[in-house]
Amino acid sequence: MLAKVYSSALMGVDAYPVEVEVDLARGLPKFNIVGLPDAAVREAKERVSSAIKNSALEFPTRKITVNLAPADIKKEGSSLDLSIAVGILKASGILKKDEFRNYSILGELALDGSVRRVNGALPIALDLKKRGIKALVIPEENAREASVVAGIDVFPIKSLIQTVQFLNGEVSISPHDCNLKEVLRQSSVYDVDFSEVKGQEHVKRALEIAAAGSHNILMIGPPGVGKTMLARRISTILPDLSLEEAIETTKLHSVTGLLSAREALIGTRPFRSPHHTVSEAGLIGGGRIPRPGEISLSHNGVLFLDELSEFPRYVLESLRQPLEDGMITVSRALTSVTYPARFMLIAAMNPCPCGYFGDPTHECSCTPLEIQKHLNKISGPLLDRIDIHIEVAGVRKKDLLGKEVGEPSAQIKKRVDRARAIQRERFKKTSLYSNAQMNPKHIRRFASPEKEAEELLRAAISELRLSARAYHKVLKISRTIADLEGKEKIDSAHISEALQYRYLDRELWRR
């Protein structure tokens, strides 16, 4: 007896269809799974047989062959358990329904027959919609996530026996309903705010400029001055996620298992802060079967690298390509997968090994050579990809002890949103979305300074010995500062302020 059941599997952040073919033949009882299964899929034999028996259903004592088509693509994970069990029950005649072509069935089986959540429900639902399949039978814990996709009936199930009864028409299960706008509204709430930060007005200004133009930023300062606190709040002033961005972000978190059962959609900008011991594969993605790394989990959000100089140099150098391209391709012998990686980089580091160089309240114990070696841990090409370098000093006592509340994130965000709206209008006929993405051709067209401002910039280039990339960074930052003020032309004040944000270009750090 031959039966076919339809399911889905993941490749990267996208899904593809899997046909589960089950054949029951005469012969000695045996259970084989073919079609390039990994260890987790091969172990489905034990989970499926126990689940069927413990659900008071009859497990066939025949030679069972399960083929997972297409057979040339590696299958991984436990999400095919339920479809394999349904195929066996259909082949043995327990399931009466003749055709399951309009259903996609997936879920992990526990030994008692209950169904556990799986990864990647959202990309699977999106793939089903693209292919015109209208019904998805999925674990109850995944129902909220999958029901985000309109036009798909998502049937939440708790156990194998409930699945059998539903497919036989013995019980009715209502499709899970999802109010997408309400879900996005509820999920777009941050638990931090810039009003909690006292003092540091010049750093807040730099972060506002960074958010307005999507510029990467490096904060340099002694320990305990609030670099991490400031970085954690920048997501609150970035523009709201669009529905398309929210779905992209949720897909990445879904396939890695980071989306909880309570979440249907990620509505806030991601903030990822990997430890400096992170491996190259952990940061950019990889593994035997490629998985998204921290840079992809930061897509549409913020990647914060604290203690930048403590990261291995080869790990940091792997950031150069995704910072330019907004994506990362992980190639392995079996497959090559491209993940999106359009993120805003925020880095923080101490100015020297002891951390107190330039701090008026602590004496630095480092020699000039030690300080230079410390700074040289960050390569020039990587620094050139960071638009803004800002010094963060300690908070003054009167600011720390004062009762004044800082400017709230919502107020700063209004200015950022206005600047981003100007950029969307400016770049509507191009593929750009922010000033940080401009190349030299765009800079000549959109960020050409007035004559007086250009003379000031020429003098600065000579004095600071700026590289060509740093020169373009100053113009990009100036363009963003002008956008925040709602001005079309870049004047001397914009250039002057932008030059202040190239801290590591100053002669002090080259001695």
Side-chain angles (χ1 to χ4, degrees):
M1 182 71 180
L2 180 66
K4 268 190 183 182
V5 177
Y6 300 91
S7 189
S8 297
L10 297 171
M11 181 180 289
V13 292
D14 296 313
Y16 64 93
V18 174
E19 288 186 14
V20 179
E21 301 173 321
V22 179
D23 178 61
L24 299 187
R26 292 179 182 178
L28 292 174
K30 196 174 182 181
F31 194 162
N32 288 324
I33 299 178
V34 296
L36 282 185
D38 74 347
V41 179
R42 288 194 298 269
E43 289 171 353
K45 294 185 288 188
E46 309 303 328
R47 291 191 296 272
V48 168
S49 60
S50 295
I52 290 176
K53 293 170 186 174
N54 290 326
S55 299
L57 298 168
E58 184 181 349
F59 186 79
T61 54
R62 292 191 178 191
K63 182 182 177 183
I64 304 171
T65 304
V66 176
N67 180 45
L68 307 175
D72 60 341
I73 300 177
K74 186 89 171 170
K75 318 299 184 307
E76 60 170 335
S78 56
S79 62
L80 297 172
D81 288 4
L82 185 59
S83 54
I84 292 172
V86 168
I88 291 172
L89 294 173
K90 183 176 184 293
S92 60
I94 293 174
L95 277 169
K96 309 301 182 186
K97 193 176 181 69
D98 292 330
E99 184 60 64
F100 290 121
R101 185 171 293 277
N102 292 325
Y103 289 85
S104 185
I105 301 170
L106 67 154
E108 178 187 330
L109 285 173
L111 298 185
D112 63 355
S114 59
V115 180
R116 294 177 174 146
R117 74 186 305 271
V118 296
N119 295 339
L122 178 58
I124 286 169
L126 289 167
D127 178 65
L128 294 181
K129 183 177 181 180
K130 191 188 301 181
R131 292 192 285 120
I133 294 177
K134 301 296 184 182
L136 174 61
V137 178
I138 200 166
E140 188 177 43
E141 291 180 80
N142 291 112
R144 279 174 57 83
E145 175 190 346
S147 61
V148 165
V149 181
I152 298 287
D153 289 333
V154 178
F155 297 102
I157 46 96
K158 298 179 181 178
S159 64
L160 175 59
I161 191 64
Q162 185 188 22
T163 307
V164 171
Q165 291 169 345
F166 169 68
L167 294 175
N168 274 336
E170 297 168 8
V171 298
S172 176
I173 299 176
S174 300
H176 194 281
D177 187 41
C178 177
N179 185 333
L180 195 53
K181 288 184 179 179
E182 182 63 19
V183 166
L184 192 58
R185 187 191 64 80
Q186 289 177 355
S187 63
S188 58
V189 177
Y190 295 92
D191 56 1
V192 293
D193 195 278
F194 264 108
S195 61
E196 300 155 355
V197 181
K198 295 193 174 184
Q200 304 290 20
E201 297 305 323
H202 71 297
V203 187
K204 290 181 189 176
R205 170 66 175 172
L207 291 173
E208 179 181 337
I209 293 167
S214 194
H215 300 287
N216 302 320
I217 183 169
L218 170 62
M219 295 183 285
I220 304 169
V225 295
K227 299 188 293 293
T228 302
M229 185 180 187
L230 286 157
R232 288 189 181 279
R233 283 153 180 77
I234 196 165
S235 296
T236 66
I237 62 172
L238 291 172
D240 294 331
L241 281 174
S242 65
L243 178 58
E244 183 182 350
E245 288 176 324
I247 288 175
E248 278 184 349
T249 305
T250 306
K251 278 175 64 177
L252 286 157
H253 285 72
S254 176
V255 298
T256 50
L258 296 177
L259 197 67
S260 73
R262 298 186 302 275
E263 292 178 295
L265 205 63
I266 293 177
T268 56
R269 297 274 175 185
F271 180 89
R272 303 292 297 180
S273 179
H275 192 261
H276 59 74
T277 57
V278 68
S279 66
E280 185 179 18
L283 187 65
I284 69 169
R288 187 177 58 85
I289 298 173
R291 294 284 189 183
E294 292 290 339
I295 62 171
S296 294
L297 294 173
S298 308
H299 181 60
N300 292 324
V302 173
L303 176 67
F304 177 50
L305 301 183
D306 200 6
E307 305 297 344
L308 185 67
S309 58
E310 299 300 321
F311 283 80
R313 187 172 180 128
Y314 74 94
V315 172
L316 291 180
E317 292 306 297
S318 66
L319 288 173
R320 286 161 56 176
Q321 183 251 332
L323 280 171
E324 291 287 337
D325 299 341
M327 63 182 68
I328 182 72
T329 299
V330 181
S331 297
R332 294 293 180 266
L334 291 175
T335 186
S336 178
V337 180
T338 298
Y339 295 112
R342 192 177 67 238
F343 58 91
M344 182 176 167
L345 175 65
I346 302 181
M349 63 183 287
N350 296 330
C352 65
C354 78
Y356 294 108
F357 177 69
D359 186 359
T361 61
H362 294 84
E363 185 177 351
C364 175
S365 59
C366 303
T367 65
L369 182 60
E370 288 173 331
I371 295 172
Q372 196 62 54
K373 280 184 177 179
H374 177 77
L375 293 173
N376 286 343
K377 289 180 180 179
I378 316 302
S379 71
L382 180 61
L383 276 177
D384 274 347
R385 285 166 171 80
I386 300 176
D387 300 8
I388 297 175
H389 313 150
I390 185 74
E391 182 182 17
V392 185
V395 183
R396 295 178 300 180
K397 279 187 180 178
K398 69 173 186 177
D399 291 330
L400 185 62
L401 301 176
K403 294 184 179 180
E404 283 190 30
V405 177
E407 187 177 21
S409 294
Q411 206 165 317
I412 302 172
K413 184 176 177 297
K414 286 180 181 177
R415 297 194 293 269
V416 170
D417 285 342
R418 283 197 296 268
R420 286 291 186 104
I422 292 170
Q423 291 166 56
R424 281 196 300 272
E425 180 64 25
R426 176 184 299 132
F427 301 132
K428 66 182 179 181
K429 294 182 180 179
T430 72
S431 60
L432 309 184
Y433 72 94
S434 69
N435 289 335
Q437 288 188 300
M438 289 192 293
N439 61 31
K441 181 182 75 173
H442 297 119
I443 290 171
R444 286 193 298 272
R445 181 179 174 188
F446 299 117
S448 181
E450 293 181 332
K451 186 176 179 181
E452 188 178 336
E454 188 172 359
E455 290 175 359
L456 174 62
L457 184 54
R458 287 177 186 274
I461 291 170
S462 175
E463 182 68 25
L464 298 176
R465 291 185 291 172
L466 298 181
S467 67
R469 195 187 294 268
Y471 164 74
H472 289 134
K473 295 293 186 189
V474 170
L475 286 174
K476 290 184 195 179
I477 298 166
S478 302
R479 179 68 272 166
T480 302
I481 295 169
D483 289 343
L484 282 167
E485 295 179 5
K487 293 184 177 178
E488 178 63 30
K489 296 290 185 181
I490 296 174
D491 60 30
S492 299
H494 304 143
I495 295 289
S496 296
E497 184 177 1
L499 286 167
Q500 294 178 38
Y501 301 130
R502 297 297 300 177
Y503 184 63
L504 290 182
D505 291 324
R506 298 177 191 173
E507 189 67 27
L508 169 69
W509 295 101
R510 288 192 292 272
R511 287 176 182 169

